Amino acid sequence: MRKYKYQIPRRLLQTGILFVFFGGNAYGWSVLRGNLSSARVFDTIPLSDPFAVLQSFSAGAVIASDAVTGALVILLFYAVLGGRVFCSWACPVNMVTDLANRLRRLFSLDSVWKSWDIKRATRYWIIFLSVALSVILGVAAFEWISPIGALHRGIIYGFGFGWTLVLMVFLFDLFAVKNGFCGHICPLGGFYSIIGRFGFLRIGYDREKCTSCMKCIEICPEKQVLHMVGRESGAVVSGECVNCGRCIEVCDDDAVNFINIYSNKIHTKCKEG
Amino acid sequence: MPERREFLLKTFKSLGLAATGGLAWSGFIEEGRSAPLILRPPGALPEKDFLASCIKCGMCVEACPYDALVLAKPGDSKPVGTPYYTPRTNPCYMCRDIPCVPVCPTGSLDKTLVSEKGEDGELRLNINMAKMGIAVIDREICIAYAGIQCDACYRACPLIDKAITVEYTRNVRTGKHTIQAPVVHSDACTGCGLCERACVTRKASIFVLPKEIAMGQSSERYIKGWDEQDEERMKEATEKVTTQTPRSGRKALDYLNDEL
């Protein structure tokens, strides 16, 4: 069970959020209404996807205060928390891409197929494109094609052909690029990388305990953030870390753990890579 | 390769790829956006503003007690994730408390567009102010226009005698009957579509279209002098409009004789 001490709660949270949203639409539950784009908690507290609101602003929309407040609530929450907690604890696409990744590992596909060479920075270019196209076309550009939206809207309100988008992401991750969508393409992930850069909840690494088995690097969906493993003690400072805790689960030496980066002195001395 | 040159080339490559992706992406969006035959919930902003601000959360859909509103799914050939309704199967039932509007977090559904000032000066919701679309009638298919008595749409209309009236004319074909023809009035019609649902012909001969599709737009020069309201428009006209064509600069006699 220790091997899944974060993965089980993550899956419960990811599916639980969708389930409560689904119940909100189908049975009229008031816990959460709406979807991951915008929602209300107990019909009072507004929550909104800050990236979607940013695109709407870029499209020239005058947005009512509810959505703006909601976006600020979410923005603040993830900025304080740190890393891309949204990606690995809330986003349903994470379950799709993790499944693709699991299959890749199960059949050792990485040793057979060479992953396409796509830069991880592609996602920041796509953020730029999302905003630019929103300005030019007057619609929230990424929301128009987002597989994330297709998946959560699909589950809550009905899929239509939306499942094809989700299947595309799955096949892309399975056959084309390892961690392709979440780790390279998704502008929402890129957006949260920037937001979560200075949050407190980070991964700390202890060189003293490490036996350099490199299992953490093997499992990590954002390997570049663990550049200090095997070299020096330190904390993950990159916002690209999704805080999924898989590295902690696979470590047999207790060398990796969640830390509060502002109170933990050992780990504050580190460089960004 | 010199570092600066490599850097420039890499930047060009990224820009080029971004442009490629951006063009395909915007083509896809334009394709979906050019389907304007969509009926929005009451209080919706003009389509352009609506598309810019709607966050696709579906809270209006959840609030609709008749499940008339749905979110456009991929494959519906409509702007994906945005709310609409289909009158023939499930029209807008014009709830008096308009539950779909106040829940909108972005203001894409604007309360003020479906509210009026009461006597105490406070805004009150009034669904009759909704302008979701307008019903149009195919007079060739409508059986009432053919002389058969049918007032299904008239009876179904929540604004009976305002949005739909029945006009009586002599049936010249038989010489001794009345034609009781339904007529839609654009000032009162909300586009709810209850008439479309009630229509008895196989494919509805009264149906709702978005107003900007179904209606024309007059120009400044055509003002009905006998209509006080229309004459107001004359005051708004600021400049004298003169049409310039290749001929207008010349004398009539000259260009009329050109072909000789």
Side-chain angles (χ1 to χ4, degrees):
Chain A
M1 278 313 265
R2 201 183 66 81
K3 290 282 171 207
Y4 296 104
K5 71 172 174 178
Y6 296 115
Q7 199 168 13
I8 290 169
R10 270 173 53 215
R11 295 293 177 249
L12 286 177
L13 194 62
Q14 284 164 333
T15 47
I17 290 172
L18 286 178
F19 182 67
V20 176
F21 272 131
F22 179 84
N25 183 38
Y27 313 118
W29 301 345
S30 66
V31 185
L32 268 177
R33 287 185 204 276
N35 60 23
L36 290 176
S37 301
S38 195
R40 241 183 227 103
V41 187
F42 291 111
D43 291 332
T44 45
I45 309 163
L47 305 171
S48 291
D49 175 353
F51 186 53
V53 171
L54 173 71
Q55 290 171 70
S56 274
F57 271 132
S58 313
V62 183
I63 307 258
S65 60
D66 260 12
V68 179
T69 315
L72 289 177
V73 170
I74 293 290
L75 208 62
L76 200 69
F77 179 75
Y78 287 119
V80 170
L81 205 55
R84 284 160 55 194
V85 172
F86 170 80
C87 297
S88 63
W89 291 79
C91 183
V93 173
N94 174 259
M95 292 188 274
V96 176
T97 56
D98 272 3
L99 177 65
N101 220 5
R102 179 164 285 252
L103 291 175
R104 282 187 87 105
R105 274 200 310 276
L106 201 62
F107 297 107
S108 312
L109 298 184
D110 289 317
S111 56
V112 191
W113 300 325
K114 201 171 169 290
S115 194
W116 292 2
D117 183 26
I118 296 180
K119 296 274 185 300
R120 290 211 179 248
T122 307
R123 52 190 158 201
Y124 302 112
W125 280 91
I126 294 180
I127 294 181
F128 166 75
L129 268 184
S130 304
V131 173
L133 289 184
S134 298
V135 172
I136 296 168
L137 299 174
V139 298
F142 179 64
E143 301 312 303
W144 201 284
I145 58 165
S146 163
I148 311 162
L151 182 53
H152 64 71
R153 269 199 312 273
I155 289 168
I156 302 165
Y157 300 108
F159 264 108
F161 275 109
W163 60 270
T164 54
L165 267 174
V166 181
L167 184 65
M168 260 170 70
V169 168
F170 176 75
L171 296 176
F172 181 70
D173 272 32
L174 184 59
F175 294 117
V177 184
K178 188 173 194 290
N179 300 118
F181 183 74
C182 300
H184 297 73
I185 306 288
C186 180
L188 187 59
F191 180 81
Y192 281 121
S193 303
I194 301 166
I195 301 305
R197 169 68 181 78
F198 296 104
F200 74 87
L201 183 70
R202 310 316 312 260
I203 299 286
Y205 165 72
D206 192 344
R207 182 72 189 91
E208 309 289 299
K209 291 181 182 165
C210 178
T211 55
S212 298
C213 69
M214 295 297 158
K215 276 185 190 161
C216 53
I217 301 266
E218 212 169 290
I219 201 89
C220 181
E222 298 279 344
K223 295 181 198 326
Q224 72 284 5
V225 308
L226 290 174
H227 54 88
M228 67 293 197
V229 169
R231 298 202 179 89
E232 53 184 349
S233 292
V236 167
V237 286
S238 168
E240 287 171 0
C241 167
V242 295
N243 272 354
C244 62
R246 292 293 279 147
C247 51
I248 306 171
E249 291 167 349
V250 297
C251 182
D252 294 320
D253 312 307
D254 194 32
V256 201
N257 267 306
F258 276 126
I259 57 158
N260 175 350
I261 199 169
Y262 295 109
S263 70
N264 193 312
K265 291 205 173 60
I266 312 166
H267 295 300
T268 44
K269 207 185 74 163
C270 45
K271 282 171 283 180
E272 200 184 346
Chain B
M1 208 180 332
E3 243 176 66
R4 191 177 58 168
R5 184 158 170 231
E6 197 182 318
F7 170 76
L8 279 174
L9 283 178
K10 274 188 177 165
T11 313
F12 273 126
K13 186 187 170 196
S14 300
L15 281 173
L17 288 174
T20 313
L23 285 172
W25 190 345
S26 46
F28 183 77
I29 290 178
E30 278 302 318
E31 193 72 27
R33 205 167 51 158
S34 60
L37 280 176
I38 187 163
L39 297 171
R40 298 301 185 188
L45 298 175
E47 186 65 11
K48 194 172 157 286
D49 301 330
F50 185 85
L51 279 182
S53 58
C54 174
I55 201 165
K56 309 171 191 222
C57 66
M59 279 196 265
C60 52
V61 172
E62 279 181 30
C64 179
Y66 296 98
D67 292 336
L69 290 177
V70 290
L71 288 189
K73 305 173 190 70
D76 283 355
S77 313
K78 298 200 161 61
V80 71
T82 58
Y84 72 99
Y85 66 101
T86 315
R88 185 64 164 167
T89 47
N90 206 345
C92 171
Y93 286 89
M94 308 238 307
C95 312
R96 294 179 67 180
D97 56 343
I98 328 182
C100 52
V101 173
V103 292
C104 178
T106 57
S108 309
L109 304 180
D110 188 351
K111 246 193 283 192
T112 60
L113 293 179
V114 280
S115 304
E116 61 184 355
K117 260 202 180 125
E119 280 167 22
D120 51 358
E122 263 183 54
L123 281 178
R124 272 205 198 85
L125 290 170
N126 180 1
I127 186 64
N128 294 348
M129 292 170 69
K131 293 284 171 217
M132 297 171 276
I134 184 159
V136 294
I137 300 175
D138 182 341
R139 290 161 51 152
E140 288 176 8
I141 304 295
C142 173
I143 57 170
Y145 276 88
I148 301 167
Q149 210 226 334
C150 169
D151 53 9
C153 57
Y154 169 73
R155 297 282 163 200
C157 180
L159 290 166
I160 186 167
D161 282 327
K162 293 194 187 87
I164 302 182
T165 57
V166 174
E167 272 182 15
Y168 299 85
T169 47
R170 200 170 95 88
N171 186 336
V172 288
R173 184 177 58 80
T174 64
K176 51 188 169 187
H177 298 96
T178 326
I179 288 178
Q180 302 178 13
V183 175
V184 178
H185 301 278
S186 66
D187 52 340
C189 178
T190 63
C192 70
L194 278 155
C195 54
E196 181 176 336
R197 181 166 166 276
C199 182
V200 300
T201 54
R202 181 167 298 156
K203 182 165 173 285
S205 42
I206 182 167
F207 45 89
V208 182
L209 292 175
K211 268 198 143 174
E212 56 274 24
I213 303 283
M215 293 180 74
Q217 194 181 16
S218 187
S219 39
E220 295 88 348
R221 66 195 64 190
Y222 303 118
I223 287 175
K224 297 168 190 157
W226 61 91
D227 181 343
E228 266 181 46
Q229 255 191 328
D230 209 38
E231 225 178 358
E232 286 292 305
R233 281 170 49 215
M234 200 131 84
K235 291 175 190 161
E236 289 163 25
T238 46
E239 52 185 321
K240 196 176 157 193
V241 185
T242 359
T243 308
Q244 293 293 337
T245 67
R247 280 175 175 179
S248 59
R250 301 165 60 197
K251 283 182 182 154
L253 205 59
D254 289 343
Y255 71 73
L256 285 172
N257 286 335
D258 269 358
E259 300 294 313
L260 292 173

